[in-house]
Structure formats: C-alpha cells, structure tokens
Amino acid sequence: MISIKSEREIELMKKAGLLVSKMHKFIKPYIKEGITTKELDRLCSEFITSNDAIPTCKGYEGFPCALCTSVNEQVVHGIPGNYKLKNGDIITIDVVIGYKGYQGDAAWTYAVGEIDENKKYLMEHTKKALDVGVSCVKPGNRIGDISAAIQKYAEEHNLGVVRELCGHGIGREMHEDPEVPNFGIPNTGPRLKPGMIICIEPMLTYGRRDVMLLEDDWTVVTADNSPAAHYEHTVLITEDGYEILTPRLD
Ligand code: MF3
Ligand code: CO
C-alpha cells in the first residue's frame, strides 16, 4: 500500500530530510585521508542524537551503526570500522534519520583527496542519473518512467546499473511501498500522486553490474572490483511536480 502523507506528516518529513542534509554538510569536511569510517560514524551519530533525532539504521535488522560507509568497490551497506580513508578513494555515506517518528534518507558519494578520471566520471554521471530520475517525478507519471530514465542515462554513459537493490517509499518506516528500481519500462508500475514520498537512488558501477555480498552479510561489492557510486534523495510528489526533501546544502 502506498501511503499519501497528510500536511502534518509532510512537515515532519521535511524536518527529517533537512536533518539528513545538515548531517551530510556537517560530515563533509571530515572526509579526508587518515580518518577511519568508524570515526565518521561516531561524529554523525553524535550529530544526529544532539539534534533530538534517531540514527534509524542502528539496530535495523541488526545493522550496527548509524551510517553505511561504502568505499570504492563497495556499493552499499558498508559497515563503519577501522579502515582509514586514503587519497584517491571514493566513499558513499548513506544515512537514515528519524525525527518525531518520520524518516529522511539520502546517500552521496564523496571523493577523498585527488581521485582518478574514471571515478570522477562515475561520480558525475551517477549524480546526473539521480537528477534525471528526479526530473520524471510529477503526478500522473509512473514509477517505471523514473526507472527507465535512470537506466537509459546510465547505459548511455556505459555505467552498470545494479539491479539487486532499489529505491523505495518512505515515511514512518524507512522502507515503504512502492519499490523504485533503477531499470524498467516507461508507462508501467504505480502512478505517482501528490503526497507520496519516495527515495530515488541509482547505484552505478564503472564496470560490470554484477554484485556480491561479503561475509559480514551486509557489504555489497561489485563482482569485478570496479568502483561504484550511489546518490539518493528523498522526494515528495507535489501537485505540479516534486520537492527534494534532502537538498544538498554544500
Ligand atoms: N539507506 C539505506 C536504504 O535506502 C538503508 C540502510 S540499510 C541499514 O535502503 F540496514 F543500514 F539500515
Ligand atoms: Co534509501
């Protein structure tokens, strides 16, 4: 069932989304060579709780941390730990924050120092694939329109579309209906209506699109070890289009 949010719920979703944006802005200056992913997690966890909010990922199906930190060939759900970032890495920080019972969710990929041209290309076009997906959001359009637009953009740029994971509705729960795949067919799937809120989140690879799960049962990596990027926004469907609830503040 796809929920339609009330005015009051939309106000709370905006607050949750804005906290997600503020957390990303807060952590960005710390993303430098030498810091561990565990330290990034600790800083963000403190930021979240000191803002009267909840790090929703922590404890979700046993996930141990506030952030997912996915480095280089890691696609999603990397667990913060003792890994020290090094020059040339890319790291995706994905976070879900709960505020007064409502969730905001956004991921973006950051460069550590100077990264190579391939990673720059991957980051640029994964970000643009998200923009292309978001631009399809308006009442009357269907989920398949978003999915197909992302797939087309990614494949035209020779990037792999990870198919095992997808976007989702969001509200009181971090994962609600509908599913929002990053590949699909135009004019198929649920129709968008004002008051729905969805997360759009292309996960693209520089090489093949196949992925594997590491033995920690969380970290998803590319099968060919090529780098992956991931950008995600929480998006409200409005009367005449959309509003991004997790705007970038940097
Ligand atoms: N932000 C992720 C998503 O959109 C969720 C993180 S999974 C968790 O699906 F287990 F860490 F919570
Ligand atoms: Co998400």
Side-chain angles (χ1 to χ4, degrees):
M1 207 258 307
I2 305 178
S3 69
I4 303 289
K5 272 73 177 177
S6 66
E7 280 303 318
R8 179 189 147 271
E9 290 182 297
I10 289 170
E11 283 316 305
L12 291 170
M13 289 294 291
K14 284 185 183 172
K15 290 194 172 139
L18 196 58
L19 269 177
V20 169
S21 299
K22 287 182 177 167
M23 191 215 79
H24 273 283
K25 184 179 178 190
F26 161 77
I27 202 62
K28 189 174 180 183
Y30 293 98
I31 302 176
K32 294 235 166 75
E33 183 163 34
I35 195 163
T36 64
T37 50
K38 198 164 70 181
E39 184 66 3
L40 295 173
D41 185 70
R42 188 185 66 76
L43 289 162
C44 286
S45 204
E46 280 177 18
F47 178 90
I48 294 165
T49 51
S50 69
N51 278 281
D52 287 328
I54 290 169
T56 304
C57 293
K58 197 171 189 130
Y60 180 84
E61 291 181 9
F63 190 81
C65 295
L67 301 182
C68 297
T69 52
S70 307
V71 179
N72 297 332
E73 76 286 355
Q74 300 181 346
V75 183
V76 289
H77 303 165
I79 303 175
N82 292 323
Y83 179 79
K84 274 198 174 90
L85 295 182
K86 54 184 199 310
N87 187 53
D89 283 345
I90 54 174
I91 177 173
T92 300
I93 297 207
D94 187 3
V95 68
V96 185
I97 297 180
Y99 183 74
K100 294 197 194 312
Y102 289 86
Q103 310 297 322
D105 184 359
W108 38 85
T109 303
Y110 298 88
V112 181
E114 270 304 305
I115 59 170
D116 67 28
E117 290 304 316
N118 296 353
K119 284 175 173 167
K120 277 187 196 155
Y121 178 94
L122 171 69
M123 283 177 65
E124 178 189 342
H125 293 296
T126 307
K127 168 75 174 64
K128 284 192 182 148
L130 171 60
D131 296 343
V132 163
V134 170
S135 71
C136 299
V137 175
K138 63 172 184 199
N141 275 4
R142 300 173 72 168
I143 293 291
D145 299 321
I146 302 169
S147 304
I150 291 172
Q151 180 182 13
K152 180 166 181 284
Y153 185 87
E155 291 176 353
E156 277 173 2
H157 290 83
N158 278 311
L159 296 172
V161 178
V162 174
R163 298 189 177 212
E164 285 77 359
L165 300 137
C166 58
H168 48 90
I170 187 168
R172 285 191 159 277
E173 304 296 328
M174 91 168 148
H175 291 151
E176 298 186 356
D177 289 339
E179 284 197 341
V180 186
N182 296 303
F183 63 99
I185 299 165
N187 206 24
T188 64
R191 218 170 269 288
L192 304 176
K193 297 198 180 87
M196 289 179 179
I197 301 181
I198 57 174
C199 291
I200 303 177
E201 50 177 319
M203 290 151 266
L204 305 185
T205 67
Y206 194 75
R208 285 168 43 213
R209 64 174 161 82
D210 310 74
V211 295
M212 293 183 333
L213 186 63
L214 292 190
E215 269 172 21
D216 62 17
D217 264 345
W218 278 105
T219 314
V220 176
V221 297
T222 57
D224 65 2
N225 235 31
S226 63
H230 175 202
Y231 291 81
E232 172 180 28
H233 274 312
T234 299
V235 182
L236 166 71
I237 291 104
T238 62
E239 293 297 330
D240 55 2
Y242 64 85
E243 181 176 340
I244 292 175
L245 303 189
T246 49
R248 289 195 72 146
L249 303 174
D250 56 322

